Amino acid sequence: RARALDSEAISIATPEPSSALMASSSAAFARVMKSRGTPLTAPAARSRARALRKSRAPLTVAPRAAVVAPAVSWPDGTGRAEDGVIVAEASVVNLGARGEIATGLPFLDHMIDQLTSHCQLGVSVVVTKDGTPCVPCVDASGDDDEAVAVAAGSALGAALAQMLAPGIDAVAIGSEAASATFASPLDEAYSTCVLSLTDAGSLAF
C-alpha cells in the first residue's frame, strides 16, 4: 500500500512534458487572438505597420528666417584732456597692436593695458606734465596723481566713444550689434561685464 501511494504521488507531482505545455498554450493563445481578429503571423503585422507608415503625411518644419545683424565698421578713436599742466592724449584702434601707455602711474598703465589683452584694442595713452611726456612703467607719482588719473580716463573715454559711435547708431535703429557680454578669468578673480550701448547706455559688472 505504501508503494502504491508513493507511485501515485510521483505521478501527480510530475509535470506534463514541455512540448505538451507549449502546444496547449499556443492553442489557447491562438483561440484568443482569433476571437479578437488580430493577425497571427509576424510578417502580416510588419506589412501592416509599413502600410500605416506610408499612409502618414511627412512632417515638414518651416525654416526659420535667419537674423543677420548689419555690418558695423569701427573707426579709430582719439581723445585729449587737459587739467592745468597735465595733458593726456589717447587713441584706440579696433583689433590694433599694443600702443604706448605712459601715465606716470605704473598700476594705471597696467589696468589700461588690459583693454589690449582682453578686448583686442590697440590702446595708447600718454600723459604729459609741464611739457614732459611720461615714460612707460616709470613711477612719476606725486601730489597730482588724481588729476593724472582723471585726465587719462577722460582722454581714453573720448577715444572709446568716438570708436563706438557707429555701434550706438546701429542700436538706435534696432540692431543688437553694440550689445556684448565679456568674461575675464584673471589670476585672483573672475569678472564679467555686460555692456549695452543704447541711447541711455548701461553697464553692469
Side-chain angles (χ1 to χ4, degrees), residues 5 46 57 106 116:
L5 289 175
R46 285 197 294 268
T116 298

Side-chain angles (χ1 to χ4, degrees), residues 4-72:
L5 289 175
D6 290 343
S7 61
E8 185 179 353
I10 292 172
S11 63
I12 293 173
T14 303
E16 297 183 50
S18 58
S19 58
L21 282 175
M22 293 177 61
S24 60
S25 299
S26 300
F29 178 75
R31 286 195 299 272
V32 172
M33 299 304 286
K34 186 176 180 180
S35 64
R36 293 182 180 179
T38 306
L40 300 180
T41 59
R46 285 197 294 268
S47 62
R48 182 179 178 185
R50 283 195 296 268
L52 182 61
R53 285 195 297 269
K54 290 180 180 179
S55 64
R56 292 176 180 173
L59 180 63
T60 57
V61 179
R64 300 178 64 179
V67 178
V68 180
V72 177

Side-chain angles (χ1 to χ4, degrees), residues 35-113:
S35 64
R36 293 182 180 179
T38 306
L40 300 180
T41 59
R46 285 197 294 268
S47 62
R48 182 179 178 185
R50 283 195 296 268
L52 182 61
R53 285 195 297 269
K54 290 180 180 179
S55 64
R56 292 176 180 173
L59 180 63
T60 57
V61 179
R64 300 178 64 179
V67 178
V68 180
V72 177
S73 60
W74 307 99
D76 299 345
T78 59
R80 179 184 172 90
E82 298 183 18
D83 186 351
V85 298
I86 298 173
V87 178
E89 295 181 318
S91 64
V92 178
V93 179
N94 184 40
L95 300 178
R98 178 177 274 103
E100 182 180 6
I101 303 175
T103 65
L105 304 175
F107 184 74
L108 181 58
D109 293 353
H110 166 69
M111 297 306 294
I112 294 175
D113 184 61

Side-chain angles (χ1 to χ4, degrees), residues 103-127:
T103 65
L105 304 175
F107 184 74
L108 181 58
D109 293 353
H110 166 69
M111 297 306 294
I112 294 175
D113 184 61
Q114 301 310 298
L115 292 173
T116 298
S117 301
H118 298 293
C119 299
Q120 290 79 53
L121 297 178
V123 178
S124 296
V125 180
V126 177
V127 173

Side-chain angles (χ1 to χ4, degrees), residues 143-173:
D143 296 336
D144 56 0
D145 290 353
E146 183 177 354
V148 168
V150 170
S154 298
L156 179 57
L160 285 170
Q162 187 176 356
M163 187 200 74
L164 296 173
I168 297 174
D169 294 338
V171 170
I173 61 175

